[in-house]
Amino acid sequence: MAKTQDELKEMVAQKALEFIPQNAILGVGSGSTVVKFIKAIQANGIKVQAAVSSSNATTKCLEEIGVKVLDPNTCEPYDVYIDGADEINENFDMIKGGGACLTREKILASMAKTFVCIVDKSKLVDILGKFPLPVEVIPMAREQVARTLRALGGEPKLREGCITDNGCEILDVHGLSITNAAELEDKINGIPGVVTVGLFAHRGADVVLYATDEGVHEKRRA
Ligand code: 5RP
């Protein structure tokens, strides 16, 4: 029987428990799949020594289940970062930032030896860009960044009512068909006033766990 997206997220969250390192710091992303992962940690009585967190919301969830959250400035590079994605392609490049946490997610991903991406099958795509690409911007640069994004062929829209944990705004860029994710990541990151683009190509996933009606599948970067 076909599973709901919620059920698929629960399945993949459960599977991700197998990737939690023992006696080591865990990097934790943000979003509804990650919330299910944190709930599964609690439900299965799994011990997490300490964590680094990609958002205030994730920090709250972790602390509610008794996990100590560390300032990344006090940590060395660590083993495993677990996070969802809005889209992921065959090359393990991702669009992230649907939850507006892209900058901190990218920082934690850059510190991790292994990035485990946890998604349901709806996130698997051939070409990135159907999901509007989030770009975190310094508020006073918003209009100039938007002009430059238009010149790159996108259609930026301000995410209304959204202020990130870093006090910035999000432009969601519609209408892109991203065939060279690393190149576009560099271009957008180079626009003055951009804090981070939600393209994760230079630091893509290493392992993808994706849930389908048949179960959870695992793919590793070659
Ligand atoms: C948050 C993210 C999330 O990983 C992404 O939006 C997926 O979220 P969900 O698990 O709710 O589908 O990048 O900034």
PDB file of all heavy atoms in Angstrom, residues 85 87-96 115-117 119 123-126 128 181 185 199-210 217-222:
ATOM      1  N   ALA A  85      16.689  17.349   2.968  1.00  0.00           N
ATOM      2  CA  ALA A  85      16.938  18.189   1.788  1.00  0.00           C
ATOM      3  C   ALA A  85      15.600  18.479   1.119  1.00  0.00           C
ATOM      4  O   ALA A  85      14.614  17.756   1.336  1.00  0.00           O
ATOM      5  CB  ALA A  85      17.868  17.488   0.808  1.00  0.00           C
ATOM      6  N   GLU A  87      15.613  19.052  -2.379  1.00  0.00           N
ATOM      7  CA  GLU A  87      15.814  18.273  -3.621  1.00  0.00           C
ATOM      8  C   GLU A  87      17.214  17.675  -3.572  1.00  0.00           C
ATOM      9  O   GLU A  87      18.138  18.300  -3.038  1.00  0.00           O
ATOM     10  CB  GLU A  87      15.718  19.159  -4.864  1.00  0.00           C
ATOM     11  CG  GLU A  87      14.324  19.583  -5.249  1.00  0.00           C
ATOM     12  CD  GLU A  87      14.277  20.371  -6.569  1.00  0.00           C
ATOM     13  OE1 GLU A  87      15.336  20.812  -7.069  1.00  0.00           O
ATOM     14  OE2 GLU A  87      13.171  20.561  -7.081  1.00  0.00           O
ATOM     15  N   ILE A  88      17.374  16.508  -4.174  1.00  0.00           N
ATOM     16  CA  ILE A  88      18.714  15.923  -4.308  1.00  0.00           C
ATOM     17  C   ILE A  88      18.794  15.207  -5.654  1.00  0.00           C
ATOM     18  O   ILE A  88      17.827  14.552  -6.062  1.00  0.00           O
ATOM     19  CB  ILE A  88      19.061  14.990  -3.115  1.00  0.00           C
ATOM     20  CG1 ILE A  88      20.485  14.428  -3.259  1.00  0.00           C
ATOM     21  CG2 ILE A  88      18.029  13.882  -2.909  1.00  0.00           C
ATOM     22  CD1 ILE A  88      21.070  13.890  -1.961  1.00  0.00           C
ATOM     23  N   ASN A  89      19.931  15.392  -6.342  1.00  0.00           N
ATOM     24  CA  ASN A  89      20.064  14.770  -7.664  1.00  0.00           C
ATOM     25  C   ASN A  89      20.977  13.533  -7.598  1.00  0.00           C
ATOM     26  O   ASN A  89      21.500  13.191  -6.541  1.00  0.00           O
ATOM     27  CB  ASN A  89      20.515  15.796  -8.711  1.00  0.00           C
ATOM     28  CG  ASN A  89      21.948  16.282  -8.487  1.00  0.00           C
ATOM     29  OD1 ASN A  89      22.707  15.693  -7.729  1.00  0.00           O
ATOM     30  ND2 ASN A  89      22.312  17.367  -9.153  1.00  0.00           N
ATOM     31  N   GLU A  90      21.195  12.926  -8.736  1.00  0.00           N
ATOM     32  CA  GLU A  90      22.015  11.703  -8.847  1.00  0.00           C
ATOM     33  C   GLU A  90      23.445  11.908  -8.367  1.00  0.00           C
ATOM     34  O   GLU A  90      24.119  10.982  -7.948  1.00  0.00           O
ATOM     35  CB  GLU A  90      22.071  11.275 -10.323  1.00  0.00           C
ATOM     36  CG  GLU A  90      20.888  10.449 -10.779  1.00  0.00           C
ATOM     37  CD  GLU A  90      20.908   9.048 -10.170  1.00  0.00           C
ATOM     38  OE1 GLU A  90      22.000   8.460 -10.096  1.00  0.00           O
ATOM     39  OE2 GLU A  90      19.841   8.575  -9.759  1.00  0.00           O
ATOM     40  N   ASN A  91      23.891  13.168  -8.497  1.00  0.00           N
ATOM     41  CA  ASN A  91      25.268  13.525  -8.124  1.00  0.00           C
ATOM     42  C   ASN A  91      25.409  13.829  -6.636  1.00  0.00           C
ATOM     43  O   ASN A  91      26.478  14.191  -6.169  1.00  0.00           O
ATOM     44  CB  ASN A  91      25.639  14.770  -8.949  1.00  0.00           C
ATOM     45  CG  ASN A  91      27.097  15.013  -9.059  1.00  0.00           C
ATOM     46  OD1 ASN A  91      27.888  14.072  -9.050  1.00  0.00           O
ATOM     47  ND2 ASN A  91      27.479  16.268  -9.149  1.00  0.00           N
ATOM     48  N   PHE A  92      24.269  13.736  -5.897  1.00  0.00           N
ATOM     49  CA  PHE A  92      24.199  14.053  -4.463  1.00  0.00           C
ATOM     50  C   PHE A  92      24.337  15.554  -4.187  1.00  0.00           C
ATOM     51  O   PHE A  92      24.682  15.973  -3.092  1.00  0.00           O
ATOM     52  CB  PHE A  92      25.239  13.281  -3.636  1.00  0.00           C
ATOM     53  CG  PHE A  92      25.029  11.790  -3.582  1.00  0.00           C
ATOM     54  CD1 PHE A  92      24.114  11.146  -4.386  1.00  0.00           C
ATOM     55  CD2 PHE A  92      25.772  11.007  -2.715  1.00  0.00           C
ATOM     56  CE1 PHE A  92      23.925   9.771  -4.325  1.00  0.00           C
ATOM     57  CE2 PHE A  92      25.606   9.630  -2.644  1.00  0.00           C
ATOM     58  CZ  PHE A  92      24.687   9.016  -3.465  1.00  0.00           C
ATOM     59  N   ASP A  93      24.127  16.399  -5.230  1.00  0.00           N
ATOM     60  CA  ASP A  93      23.989  17.846  -5.009  1.00  0.00           C
ATOM     61  C   ASP A  93      22.574  18.073  -4.468  1.00  0.00           C
ATOM     62  O   ASP A  93      21.640  17.367  -4.873  1.00  0.00           O
ATOM     63  CB  ASP A  93      24.079  18.639  -6.327  1.00  0.00           C
ATOM     64  CG  ASP A  93      25.320  18.337  -7.134  1.00  0.00           C
ATOM     65  OD1 ASP A  93      26.378  18.133  -6.524  1.00  0.00           O
ATOM     66  OD2 ASP A  93      25.223  18.318  -8.385  1.00  0.00           O
ATOM     67  N   MET A  94      22.442  19.085  -3.620  1.00  0.00           N
ATOM     68  CA  MET A  94      21.129  19.315  -3.003  1.00  0.00           C
ATOM     69  C   MET A  94      20.698  20.779  -3.077  1.00  0.00           C
ATOM     70  O   MET A  94      21.549  21.668  -3.143  1.00  0.00           O
ATOM     71  CB  MET A  94      21.191  18.955  -1.505  1.00  0.00           C
ATOM     72  CG  MET A  94      21.387  17.497  -1.216  1.00  0.00           C
ATOM     73  SD  MET A  94      21.908  17.230   0.492  1.00  0.00           S
ATOM     74  CE  MET A  94      23.616  17.644   0.396  1.00  0.00           C
ATOM     75  N   ILE A  95      19.382  20.972  -3.027  1.00  0.00           N
ATOM     76  CA  ILE A  95      18.821  22.269  -2.645  1.00  0.00           C
ATOM     77  C   ILE A  95      18.331  22.095  -1.217  1.00  0.00           C
ATOM     78  O   ILE A  95      17.633  21.126  -0.901  1.00  0.00           O
ATOM     79  CB  ILE A  95      17.652  22.696  -3.558  1.00  0.00           C
ATOM     80  CG1 ILE A  95      18.187  23.142  -4.919  1.00  0.00           C
ATOM     81  CG2 ILE A  95      16.861  23.839  -2.908  1.00  0.00           C
ATOM     82  CD1 ILE A  95      17.134  23.673  -5.871  1.00  0.00           C
ATOM     83  N   LYS A  96      18.746  23.044  -0.361  1.00  0.00           N
ATOM     84  CA  LYS A  96      18.302  23.045   1.031  1.00  0.00           C
ATOM     85  C   LYS A  96      17.914  24.473   1.419  1.00  0.00           C
ATOM     86  O   LYS A  96      18.235  25.417   0.710  1.00  0.00           O
ATOM     87  CB  LYS A  96      19.432  22.545   1.943  1.00  0.00           C
ATOM     88  CG  LYS A  96      19.754  21.072   1.729  1.00  0.00           C
ATOM     89  CD  LYS A  96      20.789  20.510   2.699  1.00  0.00           C
ATOM     90  CE  LYS A  96      20.618  20.902   4.119  1.00  0.00           C
ATOM     91  NZ  LYS A  96      19.276  20.627   4.701  1.00  0.00           N
ATOM     92  N   PHE A 115      28.276  13.316   5.527  1.00  0.00           N
ATOM     93  CA  PHE A 115      26.951  13.952   5.500  1.00  0.00           C
ATOM     94  C   PHE A 115      25.952  12.884   5.088  1.00  0.00           C
ATOM     95  O   PHE A 115      26.005  12.364   3.975  1.00  0.00           O
ATOM     96  CB  PHE A 115      26.984  15.094   4.484  1.00  0.00           C
ATOM     97  CG  PHE A 115      25.706  15.919   4.397  1.00  0.00           C
ATOM     98  CD1 PHE A 115      25.790  17.267   4.076  1.00  0.00           C
ATOM     99  CD2 PHE A 115      24.443  15.396   4.611  1.00  0.00           C
ATOM    100  CE1 PHE A 115      24.654  18.062   3.971  1.00  0.00           C
ATOM    101  CE2 PHE A 115      23.303  16.163   4.523  1.00  0.00           C
ATOM    102  CZ  PHE A 115      23.410  17.504   4.196  1.00  0.00           C
ATOM    103  N   VAL A 116      25.041  12.560   5.994  1.00  0.00           N
ATOM    104  CA  VAL A 116      23.984  11.588   5.697  1.00  0.00           C
ATOM    105  C   VAL A 116      22.702  12.368   5.424  1.00  0.00           C
ATOM    106  O   VAL A 116      22.168  13.037   6.311  1.00  0.00           O
ATOM    107  CB  VAL A 116      23.772  10.609   6.882  1.00  0.00           C
ATOM    108  CG1 VAL A 116      22.673   9.608   6.549  1.00  0.00           C
ATOM    109  CG2 VAL A 116      25.072   9.900   7.234  1.00  0.00           C
ATOM    110  N   CYS A 117      22.225  12.287   4.196  1.00  0.00           N
ATOM    111  CA  CYS A 117      21.017  13.015   3.798  1.00  0.00           C
ATOM    112  C   CYS A 117      19.811  12.085   3.919  1.00  0.00           C
ATOM    113  O   CYS A 117      19.837  10.967   3.387  1.00  0.00           O
ATOM    114  CB  CYS A 117      21.186  13.505   2.367  1.00  0.00           C
ATOM    115  SG  CYS A 117      19.729  14.346   1.737  1.00  0.00           S
ATOM    116  N   VAL A 119      15.848  11.592   3.198  1.00  0.00           N
ATOM    117  CA  VAL A 119      14.734  12.140   2.411  1.00  0.00           C
ATOM    118  C   VAL A 119      13.690  11.061   2.102  1.00  0.00           C
ATOM    119  O   VAL A 119      13.980   9.866   2.156  1.00  0.00           O
ATOM    120  CB  VAL A 119      15.231  12.737   1.062  1.00  0.00           C
ATOM    121  CG1 VAL A 119      16.018  14.009   1.263  1.00  0.00           C
ATOM    122  CG2 VAL A 119      16.029  11.728   0.266  1.00  0.00           C
ATOM    123  N   LYS A 123      11.835  13.824  -2.939  1.00  0.00           N
ATOM    124  CA  LYS A 123      12.951  14.779  -3.010  1.00  0.00           C
ATOM    125  C   LYS A 123      13.971  14.409  -4.085  1.00  0.00           C
ATOM    126  O   LYS A 123      14.896  15.174  -4.347  1.00  0.00           O
ATOM    127  CB  LYS A 123      13.666  14.857  -1.653  1.00  0.00           C
ATOM    128  CG  LYS A 123      12.762  15.071  -0.445  1.00  0.00           C
ATOM    129  CD  LYS A 123      12.130  16.432  -0.461  1.00  0.00           C
ATOM    130  CE  LYS A 123      11.288  16.742   0.753  1.00  0.00           C
ATOM    131  NZ  LYS A 123      12.006  16.960   1.976  1.00  0.00           N
ATOM    132  N   LEU A 124      13.839  13.212  -4.661  1.00  0.00           N
ATOM    133  CA  LEU A 124      14.810  12.771  -5.674  1.00  0.00           C
ATOM    134  C   LEU A 124      14.447  13.390  -7.020  1.00  0.00           C
ATOM    135  O   LEU A 124      13.315  13.240  -7.491  1.00  0.00           O
ATOM    136  CB  LEU A 124      14.799  11.237  -5.804  1.00  0.00           C
ATOM    137  CG  LEU A 124      14.985  10.434  -4.512  1.00  0.00           C
ATOM    138  CD1 LEU A 124      14.847   8.940  -4.812  1.00  0.00           C
ATOM    139  CD2 LEU A 124      16.338  10.718  -3.876  1.00  0.00           C
ATOM    140  N   VAL A 125      15.404  14.101  -7.632  1.00  0.00           N
ATOM    141  CA  VAL A 125      15.119  14.762  -8.919  1.00  0.00           C
ATOM    142  C   VAL A 125      16.261  14.511  -9.903  1.00  0.00           C
ATOM    143  O   VAL A 125      17.383  14.225  -9.500  1.00  0.00           O
ATOM    144  CB  VAL A 125      14.940  16.296  -8.744  1.00  0.00           C
ATOM    145  CG1 VAL A 125      13.779  16.627  -7.831  1.00  0.00           C
ATOM    146  CG2 VAL A 125      16.222  16.951  -8.234  1.00  0.00           C
ATOM    147  N   ASP A 126      15.948  14.663 -11.197  1.00  0.00           N
ATOM    148  CA  ASP A 126      17.014  14.592 -12.209  1.00  0.00           C
ATOM    149  C   ASP A 126      17.742  15.927 -12.287  1.00  0.00           C
ATOM    150  O   ASP A 126      18.965  15.978 -12.384  1.00  0.00           O
ATOM    151  CB  ASP A 126      16.414  14.253 -13.589  1.00  0.00           C
ATOM    152  CG  ASP A 126      15.887  12.828 -13.614  1.00  0.00           C
ATOM    153  OD1 ASP A 126      16.456  11.996 -12.882  1.00  0.00           O
ATOM    154  OD2 ASP A 126      14.905  12.562 -14.333  1.00  0.00           O
ATOM    155  N   LEU A 128      17.973  19.846 -10.548  1.00  0.00           N
ATOM    156  CA  LEU A 128      17.596  20.708  -9.422  1.00  0.00           C
ATOM    157  C   LEU A 128      16.942  21.999  -9.924  1.00  0.00           C
ATOM    158  O   LEU A 128      17.334  22.528 -10.970  1.00  0.00           O
ATOM    159  CB  LEU A 128      18.843  21.096  -8.616  1.00  0.00           C
ATOM    160  CG  LEU A 128      19.646  19.979  -7.944  1.00  0.00           C
ATOM    161  CD1 LEU A 128      20.960  20.548  -7.385  1.00  0.00           C
ATOM    162  CD2 LEU A 128      18.856  19.306  -6.832  1.00  0.00           C
ATOM    163  N   ALA A 181      25.514  22.720 -10.721  1.00  0.00           N
ATOM    164  CA  ALA A 181      25.191  23.229  -9.385  1.00  0.00           C
ATOM    165  C   ALA A 181      26.399  23.899  -8.727  1.00  0.00           C
ATOM    166  O   ALA A 181      26.253  24.939  -8.080  1.00  0.00           O
ATOM    167  CB  ALA A 181      24.675  22.081  -8.517  1.00  0.00           C
ATOM    168  N   GLU A 185      26.474  27.694  -7.496  1.00  0.00           N
ATOM    169  CA  GLU A 185      26.734  27.940  -6.061  1.00  0.00           C
ATOM    170  C   GLU A 185      27.806  29.031  -5.918  1.00  0.00           C
ATOM    171  O   GLU A 185      27.639  29.983  -5.153  1.00  0.00           O
ATOM    172  CB  GLU A 185      27.183  26.632  -5.391  1.00  0.00           C
ATOM    173  CG  GLU A 185      27.380  26.781  -3.885  1.00  0.00           C
ATOM    174  CD  GLU A 185      27.743  25.463  -3.192  1.00  0.00           C
ATOM    175  OE1 GLU A 185      27.952  24.437  -3.879  1.00  0.00           O
ATOM    176  OE2 GLU A 185      27.815  25.472  -1.949  1.00  0.00           O
ATOM    177  N   LEU A 199      22.344  25.973  -2.296  1.00  0.00           N
ATOM    178  CA  LEU A 199      22.855  24.886  -3.146  1.00  0.00           C
ATOM    179  C   LEU A 199      23.989  24.213  -2.407  1.00  0.00           C
ATOM    180  O   LEU A 199      24.933  24.888  -1.981  1.00  0.00           O
ATOM    181  CB  LEU A 199      23.400  25.452  -4.453  1.00  0.00           C
ATOM    182  CG  LEU A 199      22.463  25.499  -5.635  1.00  0.00           C
ATOM    183  CD1 LEU A 199      23.172  26.169  -6.820  1.00  0.00           C
ATOM    184  CD2 LEU A 199      22.013  24.104  -6.048  1.00  0.00           C
ATOM    185  N   PHE A 200      23.905  22.917  -2.254  1.00  0.00           N
ATOM    186  CA  PHE A 200      24.964  22.158  -1.569  1.00  0.00           C
ATOM    187  C   PHE A 200      25.597  21.246  -2.610  1.00  0.00           C
ATOM    188  O   PHE A 200      25.230  20.069  -2.741  1.00  0.00           O
ATOM    189  CB  PHE A 200      24.386  21.338  -0.420  1.00  0.00           C
ATOM    190  CG  PHE A 200      24.022  22.135   0.815  1.00  0.00           C
ATOM    191  CD1 PHE A 200      23.150  23.210   0.747  1.00  0.00           C
ATOM    192  CD2 PHE A 200      24.542  21.791   2.049  1.00  0.00           C
ATOM    193  CE1 PHE A 200      22.810  23.939   1.881  1.00  0.00           C
ATOM    194  CE2 PHE A 200      24.214  22.506   3.196  1.00  0.00           C
ATOM    195  CZ  PHE A 200      23.352  23.580   3.113  1.00  0.00           C
ATOM    196  N   ALA A 201      26.538  21.805  -3.387  1.00  0.00           N
ATOM    197  CA  ALA A 201      27.211  21.021  -4.422  1.00  0.00           C
ATOM    198  C   ALA A 201      28.669  20.798  -4.045  1.00  0.00           C
ATOM    199  O   ALA A 201      29.181  19.693  -4.125  1.00  0.00           O
ATOM    200  CB  ALA A 201      27.103  21.725  -5.761  1.00  0.00           C
ATOM    201  N   HIS A 202      29.341  21.869  -3.615  1.00  0.00           N
ATOM    202  CA  HIS A 202      30.741  21.702  -3.202  1.00  0.00           C
ATOM    203  C   HIS A 202      30.830  20.784  -1.996  1.00  0.00           C
ATOM    204  O   HIS A 202      31.783  20.018  -1.865  1.00  0.00           O
ATOM    205  CB  HIS A 202      31.369  23.060  -2.885  1.00  0.00           C
ATOM    206  CG  HIS A 202      31.655  23.850  -4.128  1.00  0.00           C
ATOM    207  ND1 HIS A 202      32.602  23.467  -5.044  1.00  0.00           N
ATOM    208  CD2 HIS A 202      31.087  24.971  -4.619  1.00  0.00           C
ATOM    209  CE1 HIS A 202      32.624  24.336  -6.044  1.00  0.00           C
ATOM    210  NE2 HIS A 202      31.701  25.246  -5.812  1.00  0.00           N
ATOM    211  N   ARG A 203      29.830  20.867  -1.117  1.00  0.00           N
ATOM    212  CA  ARG A 203      29.773  19.923  -0.010  1.00  0.00           C
ATOM    213  C   ARG A 203      28.390  19.251  -0.088  1.00  0.00           C
ATOM    214  O   ARG A 203      27.447  19.658   0.596  1.00  0.00           O
ATOM    215  CB  ARG A 203      29.969  20.639   1.328  1.00  0.00           C
ATOM    216  CG  ARG A 203      30.518  19.762   2.472  1.00  0.00           C
ATOM    217  CD  ARG A 203      29.613  18.609   2.842  1.00  0.00           C
ATOM    218  NE  ARG A 203      30.269  17.741   3.816  1.00  0.00           N
ATOM    219  CZ  ARG A 203      30.536  16.460   3.596  1.00  0.00           C
ATOM    220  NH1 ARG A 203      30.217  15.887   2.448  1.00  0.00           N
ATOM    221  NH2 ARG A 203      31.108  15.731   4.530  1.00  0.00           N
ATOM    222  N   GLY A 204      28.319  18.270  -0.991  1.00  0.00           N
ATOM    223  CA  GLY A 204      27.070  17.523  -1.126  1.00  0.00           C
ATOM    224  C   GLY A 204      27.008  16.404  -0.096  1.00  0.00           C
ATOM    225  O   GLY A 204      27.835  16.349   0.823  1.00  0.00           O
ATOM    226  N   ALA A 205      26.042  15.539  -0.263  1.00  0.00           N
ATOM    227  CA  ALA A 205      25.905  14.416   0.670  1.00  0.00           C
ATOM    228  C   ALA A 205      26.921  13.317   0.334  1.00  0.00           C
ATOM    229  O   ALA A 205      27.398  13.225  -0.796  1.00  0.00           O
ATOM    230  CB  ALA A 205      24.491  13.862   0.581  1.00  0.00           C
ATOM    231  N   ASP A 206      27.241  12.520   1.338  1.00  0.00           N
ATOM    232  CA  ASP A 206      28.092  11.335   1.123  1.00  0.00           C
ATOM    233  C   ASP A 206      27.242  10.070   1.082  1.00  0.00           C
ATOM    234  O   ASP A 206      27.566   9.112   0.387  1.00  0.00           O
ATOM    235  CB  ASP A 206      29.107  11.208   2.265  1.00  0.00           C
ATOM    236  CG  ASP A 206      29.992  12.432   2.336  1.00  0.00           C
ATOM    237  OD1 ASP A 206      30.707  12.691   1.360  1.00  0.00           O
ATOM    238  OD2 ASP A 206      29.933  13.148   3.354  1.00  0.00           O
ATOM    239  N   VAL A 207      26.181  10.086   1.879  1.00  0.00           N
ATOM    240  CA  VAL A 207      25.260   8.943   1.935  1.00  0.00           C
ATOM    241  C   VAL A 207      23.855   9.515   1.782  1.00  0.00           C
ATOM    242  O   VAL A 207      23.538  10.539   2.393  1.00  0.00           O
ATOM    243  CB  VAL A 207      25.348   8.223   3.301  1.00  0.00           C
ATOM    244  CG1 VAL A 207      24.386   7.051   3.364  1.00  0.00           C
ATOM    245  CG2 VAL A 207      26.770   7.784   3.605  1.00  0.00           C
ATOM    246  N   VAL A 208      23.046   8.865   0.962  1.00  0.00           N
ATOM    247  CA  VAL A 208      21.638   9.269   0.861  1.00  0.00           C
ATOM    248  C   VAL A 208      20.776   8.095   1.302  1.00  0.00           C
ATOM    249  O   VAL A 208      20.909   6.985   0.782  1.00  0.00           O
ATOM    250  CB  VAL A 208      21.252   9.648  -0.585  1.00  0.00           C
ATOM    251  CG1 VAL A 208      19.810  10.134  -0.622  1.00  0.00           C
ATOM    252  CG2 VAL A 208      22.164  10.715  -1.124  1.00  0.00           C
ATOM    253  N   LEU A 209      19.941   8.363   2.287  1.00  0.00           N
ATOM    254  CA  LEU A 209      18.928   7.385   2.687  1.00  0.00           C
ATOM    255  C   LEU A 209      17.604   7.916   2.150  1.00  0.00           C
ATOM    256  O   LEU A 209      17.233   9.061   2.457  1.00  0.00           O
ATOM    257  CB  LEU A 209      18.845   7.282   4.211  1.00  0.00           C
ATOM    258  CG  LEU A 209      20.123   6.873   4.953  1.00  0.00           C
ATOM    259  CD1 LEU A 209      19.878   6.868   6.462  1.00  0.00           C
ATOM    260  CD2 LEU A 209      20.595   5.509   4.484  1.00  0.00           C
ATOM    261  N   TYR A 210      16.924   7.122   1.321  1.00  0.00           N
ATOM    262  CA  TYR A 210      15.645   7.615   0.790  1.00  0.00           C
ATOM    263  C   TYR A 210      14.571   6.545   0.959  1.00  0.00           C
ATOM    264  O   TYR A 210      14.791   5.362   0.710  1.00  0.00           O
ATOM    265  CB  TYR A 210      15.770   8.092  -0.656  1.00  0.00           C
ATOM    266  CG  TYR A 210      16.164   7.044  -1.665  1.00  0.00           C
ATOM    267  CD1 TYR A 210      15.206   6.404  -2.458  1.00  0.00           C
ATOM    268  CD2 TYR A 210      17.489   6.689  -1.830  1.00  0.00           C
ATOM    269  CE1 TYR A 210      15.560   5.449  -3.387  1.00  0.00           C
ATOM    270  CE2 TYR A 210      17.855   5.720  -2.757  1.00  0.00           C
ATOM    271  CZ  TYR A 210      16.891   5.108  -3.528  1.00  0.00           C
ATOM    272  OH  TYR A 210      17.248   4.142  -4.439  1.00  0.00           O
ATOM    273  N   HIS A 217      16.145   2.909   1.195  1.00  0.00           N
ATOM    274  CA  HIS A 217      17.290   2.532   0.368  1.00  0.00           C
ATOM    275  C   HIS A 217      18.484   3.407   0.738  1.00  0.00           C
ATOM    276  O   HIS A 217      18.316   4.534   1.182  1.00  0.00           O
ATOM    277  CB  HIS A 217      16.967   2.713  -1.118  1.00  0.00           C
ATOM    278  CG  HIS A 217      15.692   2.041  -1.526  1.00  0.00           C
ATOM    279  ND1 HIS A 217      15.656   0.779  -2.066  1.00  0.00           N
ATOM    280  CD2 HIS A 217      14.413   2.446  -1.417  1.00  0.00           C
ATOM    281  CE1 HIS A 217      14.385   0.449  -2.291  1.00  0.00           C
ATOM    282  NE2 HIS A 217      13.620   1.453  -1.904  1.00  0.00           N
ATOM    283  N   GLU A 218      19.654   2.850   0.499  1.00  0.00           N
ATOM    284  CA  GLU A 218      20.876   3.589   0.840  1.00  0.00           C
ATOM    285  C   GLU A 218      21.768   3.696  -0.394  1.00  0.00           C
ATOM    286  O   GLU A 218      21.984   2.702  -1.085  1.00  0.00           O
ATOM    287  CB  GLU A 218      21.601   2.828   1.950  1.00  0.00           C
ATOM    288  CG  GLU A 218      22.902   3.459   2.357  1.00  0.00           C
ATOM    289  CD  GLU A 218      23.591   2.683   3.490  1.00  0.00           C
ATOM    290  OE1 GLU A 218      22.896   2.065   4.338  1.00  0.00           O
ATOM    291  OE2 GLU A 218      24.825   2.697   3.511  1.00  0.00           O
ATOM    292  N   LYS A 219      22.248   4.910  -0.657  1.00  0.00           N
ATOM    293  CA  LYS A 219      23.220   5.078  -1.754  1.00  0.00           C
ATOM    294  C   LYS A 219      24.421   5.822  -1.192  1.00  0.00           C
ATOM    295  O   LYS A 219      24.259   6.754  -0.395  1.00  0.00           O
ATOM    296  CB  LYS A 219      22.621   5.921  -2.890  1.00  0.00           C
ATOM    297  CG  LYS A 219      21.660   5.163  -3.758  1.00  0.00           C
ATOM    298  CD  LYS A 219      21.539   5.761  -5.145  1.00  0.00           C
ATOM    299  CE  LYS A 219      20.737   7.028  -5.160  1.00  0.00           C
ATOM    300  NZ  LYS A 219      20.462   7.520  -6.519  1.00  0.00           N
ATOM    301  N   ARG A 220      25.604   5.399  -1.604  1.00  0.00           N
ATOM    302  CA  ARG A 220      26.822   6.068  -1.141  1.00  0.00           C
ATOM    303  C   ARG A 220      27.539   6.704  -2.299  1.00  0.00           C
ATOM    304  O   ARG A 220      27.536   6.159  -3.404  1.00  0.00           O
ATOM    305  CB  ARG A 220      27.769   5.068  -0.466  1.00  0.00           C
ATOM    306  CG  ARG A 220      27.293   4.687   0.900  1.00  0.00           C
ATOM    307  CD  ARG A 220      28.193   3.702   1.604  1.00  0.00           C
ATOM    308  NE  ARG A 220      27.551   3.334   2.854  1.00  0.00           N
ATOM    309  CZ  ARG A 220      27.863   3.837   4.034  1.00  0.00           C
ATOM    310  NH1 ARG A 220      28.846   4.711   4.134  1.00  0.00           N
ATOM    311  NH2 ARG A 220      27.215   3.475   5.118  1.00  0.00           N
ATOM    312  N   ARG A 221      28.172   7.823  -2.035  1.00  0.00           N
ATOM    313  CA  ARG A 221      28.980   8.500  -3.058  1.00  0.00           C
ATOM    314  C   ARG A 221      30.099   7.553  -3.502  1.00  0.00           C
ATOM    315  O   ARG A 221      30.750   6.933  -2.651  1.00  0.00           O
ATOM    316  CB  ARG A 221      29.596   9.754  -2.456  1.00  0.00           C
ATOM    317  CG  ARG A 221      30.339  10.606  -3.428  1.00  0.00           C
ATOM    318  CD  ARG A 221      30.948  11.786  -2.694  1.00  0.00           C
ATOM    319  NE  ARG A 221      29.967  12.815  -2.398  1.00  0.00           N
ATOM    320  CZ  ARG A 221      29.547  13.727  -3.266  1.00  0.00           C
ATOM    321  NH1 ARG A 221      29.993  13.698  -4.517  1.00  0.00           N
ATOM    322  NH2 ARG A 221      28.678  14.641  -2.928  1.00  0.00           N
ATOM    323  N   ALA A 222      30.297   7.441  -4.807  1.00  0.00           N
ATOM    324  CA  ALA A 222      31.306   6.484  -5.317  1.00  0.00           C
ATOM    325  C   ALA A 222      32.701   6.927  -4.924  1.00  0.00           C
ATOM    326  O   ALA A 222      32.973   8.104  -4.837  1.00  0.00           O
ATOM    327  CB  ALA A 222      31.199   6.404  -6.826  1.00  0.00           C
TER     328      ALA A 222
END
